[in-house]
Amino acid sequence: MEREASNACALVLTGGGARAAYQVGVLKAIAECYPRGHAIPFPVLCGTSAGAINATALACYASCFHLGVRKLEYVWRHLHTSKVLRLQLGRIAAHSVKSLIKGALGQPAQIALPLFDNSPLERLLETLIDFQRIDNNLLYGALEVLAITASNYNTGDSTTFFQGRPYHEPWARAGRSGRSSIIATPHLMASSALPFVFKPCRLQNHFYGDGSIHQLNPLSPAIHLGANRILIVSLAHEELDPAHLPSNPSSSDIAGHLLDTVFTDALTSDIERLQRINSTIALIPERKREQLSLRHIDNLVLKPSKNLDELTHKHFHRLPWNIRALMRLFGVEAGDATGLASFLLFEQEYCRELIDLGYQDTRARLEEVCLFLELDEAIRKTG
């Protein structure tokens, strides 16, 4: 079945651990522009890591945008670290001793255990997400496609698992591919399994980890799945304050920098690439564009007005004591502005502050957002 030409708008939600609460505030501000009962304005949903979880939750309620956002906000506003992960230092210590003994005896060493057990997150997802609703929303036209990206440890590729309508076809490019799948909890666990932090997840005889690792082209899934417009919610602050740059970076600063690189650098580069391609396409006559199957893709990027690392200061003490102790081994103290802590701060007070920031930032750009979404004044509701 061939797909009819459309003006489908995609929503791209990136990873970032607890920072993904910011995305909920953005969605809340957008939802207020639509009447209750209105379907989601993003028929193409693409998510990676924590963004994959938010995207899937939206897909479950694609027929009612307001309801989906409200349920998502409730979960994030009542979150605790214990519902997402727990530290397993005891198991790691015992595991290390066994590995040392085996090494001394000339036996193969055991596989290293990750720092955290994410089985609480798995139970939370199984409880909260009704995956059958995704299929229903696809059947009745409230949703076009849901795409979840994970990193394949066996091949080194970025793999996008998508559940969509029949005309969406798999793709294969250098270092990335798309597979038609029935999205379920294992896909979300795989997409959010940060290396060394969480264990890899096995899917179809391959092991997968956090989707941001190998995702050099974060906008690629949305484009392959037919989007002509892409709304991107980034979690990277635009400007760095020189006053907060460390003169002598600690292990924590370095770890936070690496996490920022994984979650934001590829997206920034891909957005610049898209803008250059759009500029080039504009120089090509329209008839030639059609012959070459080229299309202009509008994009809008929403990102925090504040550095999310700096918001961790007053919330660091809310982390479980054993995680705080681990952070201190990396040189993290309560007064530090560090990305490492901000990824693990799944505490309701911190998440609520991020939700409120996302809401305020989006309200400040609401006219621009509504114009991008081509929101008809007849149905717009400014609240």
Side-chain angles (χ1 to χ4, degrees):
M1 181 188 302
E2 291 188 5
R3 184 179 182 181
E4 297 179 359
S6 69
N7 193 25
C9 183
L11 175 66
V12 172
L13 300 178
T14 62
R19 296 178 176 191
Y22 178 87
Q23 299 168 350
V24 180
V26 172
L27 293 167
K28 179 181 178 180
I30 296 174
E32 289 182 353
C33 296
Y34 291 86
R36 296 186 184 278
H38 196 282
I40 190 170
F42 312 104
V44 179
L45 291 170
C46 301
T48 303
S49 194
I53 296 173
N54 286 342
T56 302
L58 287 177
C60 291
Y61 294 93
S63 60
C64 184
F65 189 26
H66 271 267
L67 181 59
V69 173
R70 283 204 310 272
K71 286 183 173 292
L72 195 56
E73 182 184 10
Y74 180 86
V75 173
W76 278 98
R77 282 191 176 274
H78 295 84
L79 204 56
H80 291 285
T81 304
S82 60
K83 294 182 179 179
V84 179
L85 54 87
R86 61 169 177 254
L87 193 59
Q88 48 184 9
L89 285 181
R91 287 187 61 198
I92 293 172
H95 186 87
S96 300
V97 171
K98 289 180 182 179
S99 296
L100 288 173
I101 294 174
K102 286 192 171 187
L105 297 175
Q107 299 177 6
Q110 293 180 303
I111 299 173
L113 288 177
L115 284 172
F116 296 97
D117 173 19
N118 59 351
S119 59
L121 173 61
E122 186 173 15
R123 290 193 293 272
L124 181 66
L125 295 176
E126 290 285 3
T127 301
L128 296 176
I129 297 183
D130 182 1
F131 292 93
Q132 180 59 46
R133 295 180 67 99
I134 299 174
D135 208 32
N136 293 338
N137 286 324
L138 288 168
L139 179 64
Y140 294 109
L143 180 68
E144 286 281 334
V145 61
L146 168 66
I148 304 301
T149 299
S151 297
N152 190 321
Y153 285 143
N154 296 90
T155 66
D157 290 344
S158 175
T159 303
T160 298
F161 300 96
F162 66 89
Q163 183 175 349
R165 307 191 77 180
Y167 41 70
H168 294 294
E169 297 181 352
W171 68 87
R173 299 290 186 273
R176 63 188 190 276
S177 62
R179 297 184 188 178
S180 179
S181 304
I182 302 298
I183 302 298
T185 300
H187 297 89
L188 303 184
M189 297 301 294
S191 182
S192 58
L194 197 64
F196 304 111
V197 177
F198 298 127
K199 65 181 179 181
C201 187
R202 187 170 184 171
L203 291 170
Q204 301 172 352
N205 296 321
H206 281 197
F207 286 94
Y208 292 86
D210 196 290
S212 301
I213 303 167
H214 292 134
Q215 196 177 35
L216 301 180
N217 305 93
L219 304 182
S220 174
I223 295 171
H224 277 292
L225 294 169
N228 287 331
R229 290 175 292 140
I230 305 176
L231 180 67
I232 305 149
V233 184
S234 172
L235 301 176
H237 180 52
E238 286 195 37
E239 299 178 1
L240 290 176
D241 185 352
H244 291 94
L245 295 177
S247 56
N248 186 19
S250 65
S251 299
S252 167
D253 294 323
I254 296 171
H257 176 74
L258 289 174
L259 287 173
D260 282 334
T261 299
V262 168
F263 287 115
T264 64
D265 284 8
L267 177 62
T268 302
S269 298
D270 212 22
I271 292 171
E272 290 180 354
R273 186 182 303 113
L274 176 62
Q275 292 169 346
R276 288 198 304 269
I277 292 174
N278 281 340
S279 298
T280 302
I281 290 176
L283 302 175
I284 302 175
E286 186 172 350
R287 182 178 298 178
K288 190 67 174 178
R289 285 187 229 168
E290 294 176 357
Q291 293 174 352
L292 298 173
S293 298
L294 297 174
R295 69 183 191 274
H296 181 280
I297 299 175
D298 290 325
N299 68 93
L300 178 65
V301 183
L302 301 177
K303 56 178 57 177
S305 59
K306 298 180 181 178
N307 189 331
L308 301 187
D309 293 352
E310 297 175 10
L311 301 182
T312 63
H313 291 177
K314 56 187 175 184
H315 300 291
F316 182 79
H317 69 281
R318 303 185 193 279
L319 280 168
W321 70 268
N322 54 354
I323 297 180
R324 294 201 308 271
L326 177 65
M327 292 293 98
R328 290 191 175 100
L329 291 177
F330 285 95
V332 180
E333 297 296 337
D336 295 338
T338 171
L340 185 57
S342 69
F343 282 91
L344 300 176
L345 250 168
F346 292 98
E347 294 295 328
Q348 57 181 320
E349 293 83 2
Y350 176 64
C351 294
R352 288 175 182 181
E353 188 167 356
L354 295 188
I355 292 171
D356 293 341
L357 178 63
Y359 178 81
Q360 294 162 8
D361 287 348
T362 307
R363 290 288 298 181
R365 299 179 60 185
L366 203 56
E367 290 298 329
E368 184 182 2
V369 172
C370 291
L371 182 62
F372 179 80
L373 294 177
E374 300 179 351
L375 186 55
D376 192 332
E377 287 293 334
I379 67 169
R380 181 175 172 185
K381 180 176 140 185
T382 58

